């Protein structure tokens, strides 16, 4: 990995964080590349914000190291770390106007008043807030405050920008607009972004790579496509989008391909996550990849137990003979045959649509 | 049309409230009115005049009261300032320094002056100064005042600090401010309303004190309350009413200032994300 | 009280590690100039008195003995219970209790009325209630004395209006002391009750009314039990300072209506000049107050548990 060293902006190296008996982060290791839009995704309380605060320096870590371009920064106080944060509720200084807020970090770094003012002007221009430079934070809308927070954190030109759920306080429409803006700004400035969110849609649309975290543990790292299409375990498969988890018996895994027995006895071969093993296991199959057929031609058979009409789509729940329920999402197009309640029906999916998970 | 009964209203509660306000204000208003009485008798009304105010400032006892007033104001200013500094530090320790040994004990200690009856504090302080052979006078009064001013300064300061999220200091540190800069540039300005409020309350409490001052003042040193008390022992005279009215004005001015300082803080704290 | 509870959420840690240093001045000042003096006072209460103030460093229980027992003029008779001082204490408790009751009777409806006003006018009402408290206690007491004197403005007006034939005699009675205490500490009753009523969920009143409760039943069966913590806090905040009050009994009560405060003051400032006895009386007062506060704190702990 030595030749990659220069490319790694933040190296989280076996980091553990405990509060008394509670383990907030358990041996988390991940490497964030330079100029990357990297997202920490997970449900609330999973440890993603704790990890961000450890990088910023607001929390001490119990074990491990955090390296910024190769230098271990765990012993530096927050004000000595060349990273800046966009806080969840922005934390704009209420007694300072927008310009003063943006200048704050520059002045602390020893820039002259004039230089700081000039730089603040540039950054405010970047976030299109020039005409609000003299306002107090309380006189701005939520979206504007969000951009001031961004400008303030960008102004000192940090090596890494940390964003702690910065969109969560905005309403839906604004959130979608700001997503694009954030991506653009990231590309323009070339600064490494570490973005924390619990919103999978946000994560999938914006990020170069995503780390899924749950219960203080790193579950999977990959691009949006990797994580959605090739989840490693039940948590990731279930947390990102919807999925069917089908109980199977795995006969063996060879060259990443698992041979398993489906409920009902059919044999099936599909890709396996690295680390999956023989014995009992679970297949993940997305509902939209499940197709309906005659019972005789189905990999699985069952009876239709629920139909939910969703406009463009139809959710069909099929109860298998062993009681398991599999959901299929059927497009509501002209040729589609809509099954009836209680009908016995077959289910099919391609080998590439299924994945054996790590149990 | 039958009106929906308002369950919040009880018949007579308004009347009691008005009675309460009447009881609270009537004595003060009466004294203020009689302080403008032209008659040398406190009982008979002899028309409106300012003669007793003239008497306060230029009369026979003017010097005595002037000296007492200067003592009172000096002590109040010094005690309130010291108590405010100590209380601000204490509030920072209690609310910004996480857990440390003796933290919960410190709450008890800071509020102790409020719990011990004043007369007990007075006795204990007098005995203390006598036991260590400390000459009672202005300095002993000042020390005693600082002690009981601390909780009064602490309460509004701590209440204010509790309302300020620590995320502002974190943002400052994230933007390369040292801890001291984060305190001076962020926390302190945000706390100003609480600090002003705390200072003003401590100032009034010090200006008000009679019992403790009376015990530790030593011979010949008077503050306004002890001077007034001494004068009243020989009966209420019209000039006392004039002094009382003046002091009343000072108190009300200070409380009003403190009230608006607190309000100013509230307005700043509420953060309307208005559309623009 | 704001800022006094060490609990509540995650403690901010910006200045973690500096806590002891920052709290030190408060510790030093209160420790040296209040805690230490109280300890010395406790010691003094066990020393021998010197005439004209001061003490002789010889341990004795004489002060407490004098408080509770009568051994005759020369101290050689069979000890009998000495009622003088016990009665003064008893009267203080009684007076403080009646003053507390008076504050409650007027303070509860007032607090209720204020708490049910629209939010913006509430602060104004509260302000009006608290302003007199910040006026010098001495001046308030003098004003009360002036108002209720036999030939004071109140009696004059009532006489002139023909409502009474002779002045109502209030000054130098128990009632005058109670009025003075009421006047001194009323806001202490109103504020905690107000805080409790403000948190009261009025859906409870609606539920009671829905279940056929009259207004009175709702008040006694639902409202008062729910806001009881505020009522108890208010009563303690009035009772405790009333117990050791000095100005109201001294200026309004006259010589007959002596309370603990005056008894203690006598020993140091007055003719009695018996420091150990004064210290002992102060210790007894302090113990009574601490007992009230400890019982209160215990009850609170039990209720929150």
């Amino acid at each position: 990995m030595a030749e990659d060293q220069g490319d790694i902006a933040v190296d989280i190296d076996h980091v553990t964080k405990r509060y008394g008996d509670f383990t907030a982060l358990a041996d988390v290791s991940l490497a964030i590349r330079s100029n990357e839009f990297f997202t920490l995704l997970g449900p609330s309380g999973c440890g993603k914000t704790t990890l961000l605060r450890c990088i910023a320096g607001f929390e001490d870590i119990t074990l491990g190291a955090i390296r910024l371009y190769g230098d271990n920064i765990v012993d530096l106080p927050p004000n000595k770390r060349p990273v800046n944060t966009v806080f969840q509720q922005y934390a704009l200084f209420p007694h300072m106007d927008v310009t003063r807020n943006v200048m704050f970090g520059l002045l602390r770094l020893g820039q002259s008043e004039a230089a700081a003012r000039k730089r603040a002007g540039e950054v405010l221009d970047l976030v299109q807030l020039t005409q609000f430079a003299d306002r107090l934070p309380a006189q701005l809308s939520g979206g504007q405050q969000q951009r001031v927070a961004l400008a303030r954190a960008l102004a000192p030109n940090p090596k890494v920008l940390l964003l702690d759920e910065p969109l969560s306080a905005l309403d839906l429409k604004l959130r979608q607009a700001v997503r694009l803006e954030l991506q653009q700004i990231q590309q323009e400035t070339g600064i490494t972004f570490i973005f924390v969110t619990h919103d999978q849609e946000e994560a999938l649309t914006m990020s170069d790579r995503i780390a899924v975290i749950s219960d203080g543990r790193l579950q999977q790292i990959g691009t949006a496509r990797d994580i959605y299409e090739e989840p490693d375990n039940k948590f990731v498969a279930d947390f990102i989008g919807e999925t069917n988890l089908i109980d199977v018996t795995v006969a063996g895994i060879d060259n990443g391909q698992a041979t398993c027995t489906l409920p009902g006895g059919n044999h099936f071969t599909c890709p396996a996550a690295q680390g999956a093993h023989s014995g009992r296991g679970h297949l993940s199959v997305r509902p939209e990849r499940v197709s309906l057929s005659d019972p005789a031609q189905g990999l699985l058979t069952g009876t239709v137990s629920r139909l939910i009409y969703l406009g463009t789509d139809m959710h069909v729940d099929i109860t298998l003979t062993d009681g398991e329920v599999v959901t299929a999402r059927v497009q509501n197009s002209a040729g589609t045959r809509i099954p009836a309640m209680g009908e016995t029906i077959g289910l099919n999916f391609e080998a590439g649509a299924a994945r054996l998970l790590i149990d | 049309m039958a009106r929906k009964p308002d369950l919040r209203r009880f018949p007579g509660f308004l009347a009691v409230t008005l009675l309460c306000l009447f009881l609270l204000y009537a004595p003060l208003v009466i004294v203020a009115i009689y302080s403008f009485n032209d008659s040398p008798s406190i009982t008979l009304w002899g028309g409106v005049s300012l003669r007793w105010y003239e008497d306060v400032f230029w009369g026979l006892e003017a010097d005595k009261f002037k000296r007492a007033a200067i003592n009172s104001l000096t002590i109040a200013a010094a005690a309130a300032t010291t108590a405010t500094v100590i209380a601000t530090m204490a509030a920072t320790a209690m609310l910004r320094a996480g857990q440390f040994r003796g933290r919960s004990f410190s709450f008890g200690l800071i509020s102790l002056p409020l719990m011990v009856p004043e007369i007990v504090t007075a006795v204990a302080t007098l005995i203390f100064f006598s036991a260590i052979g400390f000459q009672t006078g202005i300095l002993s009064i000042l020390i005693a005042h600082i002690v009981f001013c601390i909780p009064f300064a602490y309460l509004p300061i701590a209440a204010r600090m509790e309302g300020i999220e620590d995320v502002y200091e974190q943002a400052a540190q994230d933007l390369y401010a040292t801890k001291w800069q984060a305190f001076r540039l962020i926390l302190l300005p945000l706390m100003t309303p609480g600090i002003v409020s705390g200072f003003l309350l401590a100032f009034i409490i010090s200006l008000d004190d009679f019992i403790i001052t009376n015990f530790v003042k030593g011979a010949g040193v008077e503050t306004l309350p002890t001077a007034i008390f001494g004068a009243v022992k020989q009966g209420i005279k019209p000039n006392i009413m004039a002094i009382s009215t003046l002091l009343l004005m000072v108190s009300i001015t200070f409380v009003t200032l403190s009230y608006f300082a607190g309000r100013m803080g509230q307005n700043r704290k509420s953060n309307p994300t208005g559309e623009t | 009280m704001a800022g006094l509870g060490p609990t509540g959420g995650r403690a901010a840690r910006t200045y973690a590690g500096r806590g002891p240093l920052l709290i030190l001045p408060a510790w030093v000042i209160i420790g040296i100039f209040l805690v230490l003096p109280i300890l010395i006072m406790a010691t003094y209460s066990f020393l021998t008195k010197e005439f004209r103030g001061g003490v002789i460093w010889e341990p004795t229980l004489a002060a407490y003995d004098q408080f509770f027992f009568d051994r005759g003029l020369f101290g050689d008779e069979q000890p009998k219970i000495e009622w003088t001082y016990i009665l003064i204490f008893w009267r203080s408790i009684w007076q403080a209790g009646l003053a507390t009751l008076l504050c409650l009777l007027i303070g509860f409806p007032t607090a209720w009325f204020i708490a049910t006003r629209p939010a913006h006018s509430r602060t104004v009402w509260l302000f009006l209630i608290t302003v007199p408290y910040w006026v010098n206690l001495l001046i308030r007491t003098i004003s009360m004395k002036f108002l209720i004197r036999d030939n004071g403005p109140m009696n004059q007006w009532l006489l002139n209006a023909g409502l009474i034939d002779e002045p109502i005699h209030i000054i130098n009675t128990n009632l005058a002391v109670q009025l003075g205490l009421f006047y001194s500490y009323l806001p202490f009753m109103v504020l905690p009750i107000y805080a409790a009523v403000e948190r009261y969920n009025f859906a409870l009143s609606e539920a009671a009314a829905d279940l056929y409760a009259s207004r009175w039943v709702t008040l006694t069966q639902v409202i008062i039990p729910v806001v009881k913590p505020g009522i108890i806090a208010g009563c303690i905040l009035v009772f405790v300072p009333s117990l050791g009050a000095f100005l109201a009994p001294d200026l309004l009560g006259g010589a007959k209506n002596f309370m603990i405060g005056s008894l203690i003051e006598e020993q140091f400032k007055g003719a009695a000049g018996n420091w150990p006895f004064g210290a002992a009386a102060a210790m007894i007062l302090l113990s009574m107050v601490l007992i009230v506060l400890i019982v209160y704190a215990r009850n609170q702990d039990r209720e929150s548990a």
Side-chain angles (χ1 to χ4, degrees):
Chain A
M1 295 296 274
E3 73 269 35
D4 276 344
Q5 203 56 269
D7 233 350
I8 302 297
V10 181
D11 180 19
I12 311 289
D13 188 1
H14 296 285
V15 166
T16 295
K17 168 73 185 171
R18 292 195 198 97
Y19 298 99
D21 290 341
F22 175 70
T23 303
L25 292 171
D27 197 29
V28 173
S29 288
L30 52 91
I32 296 157
R33 297 178 196 133
S34 202
N35 302 344
E36 189 171 33
F37 196 123
F38 192 90
T39 297
L40 302 172
L41 173 66
S44 59
C46 72
K48 57 192 190 302
T49 295
T50 306
L51 181 56
L52 197 77
R53 290 171 63 81
C54 288
I55 300 171
F58 300 126
E59 307 281 350
D60 296 328
I61 59 175
T62 314
L63 292 170
I66 298 175
R67 278 182 280 273
L68 187 70
Y69 288 99
D71 300 324
N72 193 349
I73 55 170
V74 292
D75 292 326
L76 295 179
N79 54 319
K80 294 280 190 332
R81 299 188 186 195
V83 298
N84 291 125
T85 307
V86 177
F87 290 85
Q88 191 168 9
Q89 303 294 335
Y90 318 137
L92 299 177
F93 304 130
H95 58 301
M96 297 182 184
D97 67 19
V98 168
T99 305
R100 279 276 144 201
N101 262 285
V102 177
M103 286 166 69
F104 188 91
L106 302 167
L107 293 176
R108 302 288 85 71
L109 286 172
Q111 288 199 11
S112 70
E113 180 87 13
R117 191 170 284 280
K118 181 161 169 291
R119 170 71 181 150
E122 284 167 23
V123 188
L124 285 175
D125 196 38
L126 181 72
V127 298
Q128 297 160 19
L129 276 179
T130 312
Q131 74 265 42
F132 298 108
D134 300 330
R135 298 248 187 126
L136 286 174
Q139 298 167 315
L140 300 175
S141 71
Q144 290 162 344
Q145 291 182 15
Q146 200 271 341
R147 280 186 281 167
V148 177
L150 184 63
R152 185 177 70 175
L154 286 171
N157 213 354
K159 289 188 172 166
V160 175
L161 187 74
L162 309 173
L163 301 101
D164 186 6
E165 308 223 14
L167 309 184
S168 63
L170 304 179
D171 61 40
L172 186 65
K173 261 197 160 157
L174 202 51
R175 214 156 24 186
Q176 285 166 344
V178 175
R179 268 185 215 162
L180 281 174
E181 250 181 59
L182 271 181
Q183 266 181 306
Q184 270 174 8
I185 288 172
Q186 196 263 333
Q187 279 155 14
E188 273 173 50
T189 55
I191 292 173
T192 308
F193 276 32
I194 304 179
F195 184 90
V196 160
T197 184
H198 64 271
D199 180 337
Q200 44 155 313
E201 200 185 317
E202 239 167 65
L204 294 178
T205 52
M206 298 167 75
S207 324
D208 293 325
R209 286 196 307 152
I210 299 168
V212 182
I213 298 177
S214 158
D215 289 332
R217 283 168 202 284
L218 180 63
Q219 304 290 337
Q220 189 170 356
I221 307 181
T223 62
R225 179 170 272 274
D226 290 344
I227 288 195
Y228 188 79
E229 307 268 340
E230 296 171 9
D232 278 348
N233 60 32
K234 280 203 278 190
F235 177 83
V236 176
D238 209 31
F239 185 71
I240 316 284
E242 279 176 83
T243 199
N244 291 297
L245 296 170
I246 300 168
D247 284 333
V248 294
T249 313
V250 184
I253 299 170
D254 182 30
N255 211 3
Q257 294 290 315
T259 312
C260 33
T261 311
L262 295 170
N266 282 329
H267 295 281
F268 186 69
T269 303
C270 68
Q274 221 167 34
H277 51 78
S278 307
R280 300 198 60 80
H282 288 91
L283 286 190
S284 162
V285 185
R286 301 284 178 193
E288 70 271 18
R289 308 293 287 269
V290 177
S291 59
L292 306 179
S293 67
D294 283 345
Q297 292 159 357
L299 276 170
L300 300 164
T301 48
T303 52
V304 176
S305 53
R306 198 154 74 132
L307 288 166
I308 305 169
Y309 177 73
L310 294 171
T312 57
D313 292 322
M314 190 96 195
H315 259 245
V316 186
D317 280 1
I318 296 105
T319 307
L320 306 183
T321 41
D322 65 349
E324 231 182 299
V325 177
V326 174
T327 302
R329 184 188 273 239
V330 184
Q331 278 228 326
N332 199 3
S333 53
T336 319
R337 192 179 71 87
I338 307 293
M341 280 290 286
E343 192 183 333
T344 304
I345 205 167
L347 299 176
N348 276 298
F349 39 86
E350 289 165 23
R355 186 170 169 83
L356 178 67
L357 304 177
I358 305 166
D359 248 284
Chain B
M1 201 171 83
R3 280 193 55 183
K4 187 176 140 294
D6 185 350
L7 295 168
R8 293 162 187 245
R9 285 172 79 151
F10 283 86
F13 276 24
L14 169 63
V16 176
T17 307
L18 295 178
L19 172 72
C20 178
L21 285 180
F22 176 78
L23 287 172
L24 287 177
Y25 283 93
L28 298 178
V29 172
I30 299 281
V31 164
I33 292 173
Y34 272 77
S35 70
F36 295 103
N37 188 358
D38 192 43
S39 157
S41 150
I42 57 163
T43 313
L44 299 171
W45 182 255
V48 177
S49 97
L50 289 174
R51 64 180 282 197
W52 299 114
Y53 288 90
E54 284 167 29
D55 184 75
V56 168
F57 286 104
W58 296 284
L60 281 176
E61 294 179 302
D63 267 356
K64 186 178 89 183
F65 284 125
K66 242 180 249 168
R67 245 179 294 122
I70 289 169
N71 282 346
S72 268
L73 292 171
T74 314
I75 291 166
T81 307
T82 316
T84 304
V85 172
I86 293 173
T88 305
M89 291 173 73
T92 310
M94 301 303 291
L95 298 171
R96 283 297 196 268
Q99 276 300 342
F100 58 91
R101 276 171 69 105
R103 178 166 176 263
S104 33
F105 172 75
S106 301
F107 275 107
L109 199 68
I110 290 169
S111 45
L112 190 65
L114 294 178
M115 296 194 279
V116 177
E118 261 193 283
I119 187 89
V120 176
T121 306
V123 167
T125 314
L126 170 65
I127 290 179
F128 171 73
F129 283 130
S130 147
I132 63 169
F134 191 91
Q135 181 65 46
T136 51
I138 295 272
L139 195 58
S140 59
I141 302 176
L142 177 62
I143 290 169
H145 280 214
I146 291 171
V147 172
F148 66 74
C149 281
I150 288 175
F152 283 95
Y154 179 82
L155 288 177
I157 292 173
R160 175 77 191 162
M161 199 185 267
E162 243 177 353
I164 301 170
E165 286 182 75
D166 61 342
V167 72
Y168 295 115
E169 296 125 71
Q170 288 177 359
Q173 285 179 273
D174 187 61
L175 295 163
Y176 314 107
T178 61
K179 288 189 178 194
W180 168 242
Q181 285 171 326
F183 183 81
R184 190 168 55 84
L185 298 172
I186 305 298
L187 197 52
L188 209 54
L190 293 180
M191 290 205 356
T192 306
I195 291 176
V196 170
S197 224
F199 173 83
L200 293 176
L201 293 191
F203 190 91
I204 298 181
I205 287 292
S206 164
L207 208 58
D208 252 19
D209 180 72
F210 166 74
I211 298 176
I212 294 170
T213 312
N214 189 39
F215 268 70
V216 299
K217 71 186 172 64
V221 181
E222 300 285 355
T223 64
L224 266 184
T226 63
I228 293 172
F229 185 81
V232 167
K233 275 282 158 187
Q234 295 133 40
I236 303 176
K237 282 180 290 179
N239 63 341
I240 295 300
M241 283 192 270
I243 293 185
S244 298
T245 308
L246 289 172
L247 211 49
L248 192 138
M249 293 304 161
V250 171
S251 296
I252 289 179
T253 309
F254 267 61
V255 177
T256 311
L257 284 178
S258 165
Y259 173 77
F260 283 110
R263 282 267 295 246
M264 189 176 83
Q266 273 173 8
N267 290 344
R268 184 176 273 173
K269 204 164 69 184
S270 66
N271 204 4
T273 33
E275 298 299 324
T276 30
Chain C
M1 254 184 228
L4 273 182
T7 52
R10 160 182 78 95
R13 308 183 67 257
T14 316
Y15 300 99
R18 314 272 171 91
L21 196 69
L22 288 165
I23 201 80
L24 190 67
W27 274 54
V28 167
I29 295 283
I30 297 175
I32 295 183
F33 298 111
L34 185 61
V35 177
L36 182 62
I38 289 173
L39 296 177
I40 295 178
M41 178 182 78
T43 314
Y44 265 45
S45 71
F46 295 104
L47 295 180
T48 308
K49 76 166 172 177
E50 190 170 27
F51 291 98
R52 311 298 315 149
V55 287
I56 300 164
W57 282 83
E58 264 173 45
T60 168
L61 283 172
Y64 293 93
D65 189 78
Q66 183 190 347
F67 192 93
F68 291 108
F69 300 107
D70 175 10
R71 292 175 192 273
L73 198 53
F74 303 102
D76 52 358
E77 293 170 24
Q78 271 299 319
K80 295 180 299 217
I81 301 279
E82 165 66 75
W83 287 105
T84 316
Y85 307 117
I86 297 174
L87 276 177
I88 290 175
F89 266 67
W90 175 244
R91 184 160 59 227
S92 302
I93 294 170
W94 181 245
Q95 293 279 53
L98 285 177
T100 307
L101 190 65
L102 189 63
C103 283
L104 180 60
L105 289 179
I106 293 188
F108 182 83
T110 305
W112 179 275
F113 178 80
I114 295 174
T116 53
R117 293 303 91 199
H120 57 275
S121 60
R122 258 181 249 166
T123 49
V124 177
W125 282 100
L126 276 181
F127 181 66
L128 286 176
I129 292 287
T130 44
V131 161
Y133 171 72
W134 297 110
V135 172
N136 199 310
L137 180 59
L138 175 62
I139 288 175
R140 276 184 289 155
T141 313
I142 293 172
S143 306
M144 183 60 94
K145 183 181 173 116
F146 177 69
L147 180 66
I148 63 176
R149 281 176 318 135
D150 287 353
N151 54 354
M154 186 186 74
N155 275 316
Q156 282 184 3
W157 288 337
L158 290 174
L159 282 171
N160 290 345
L163 290 170
I164 51 174
D165 295 328
E166 54 186 66
I168 308 174
H169 179 69
I170 301 181
I171 197 78
N172 296 347
T173 65
N174 284 333
L175 182 62
V177 178
Q178 287 148 24
L179 265 179
L181 294 175
F182 161 82
Y183 195 25
S184 305
Y185 305 117
L186 178 72
F188 290 166
M189 182 65 83
V190 175
L191 293 178
I193 298 181
Y194 164 82
V197 175
E198 206 194 17
R199 283 196 304 271
Y200 174 75
N201 179 359
F202 282 96
L204 295 179
S205 289
E206 288 171 7
D210 185 53
L211 297 165
Y212 319 108
S214 67
R215 224 166 253 274
W216 175 250
V217 170
T218 306
L219 181 66
T220 54
Q221 302 287 308
V222 179
I223 295 169
I224 290 180
V226 171
V227 301
K228 200 178 77 183
I231 294 177
I232 293 175
C235 287
I236 286 178
L237 287 177
V238 172
F239 182 78
V240 165
S242 295
L243 199 57
F246 169 72
L247 284 173
D250 192 76
L251 290 173
L252 300 169
K256 275 203 320 238
N257 297 290
F258 225 59
M259 279 174 62
I260 311 175
S262 312
L263 174 69
I264 296 172
E265 202 252 6
E266 272 275 277
Q267 310 307 320
F268 295 92
K269 308 296 287 183
N274 185 341
W275 284 32
F277 182 72
M283 284 305 293
I284 294 169
L285 172 62
L286 182 61
S287 321
M288 285 182 1
V289 167
L290 288 182
I291 287 168
V292 172
L293 292 177
I294 288 168
V295 169
Y296 171 66
R298 279 272 168 82
N299 275 337
Q300 266 210 322
D301 282 352
R302 213 173 44 214
E303 264 171 40
S304 60

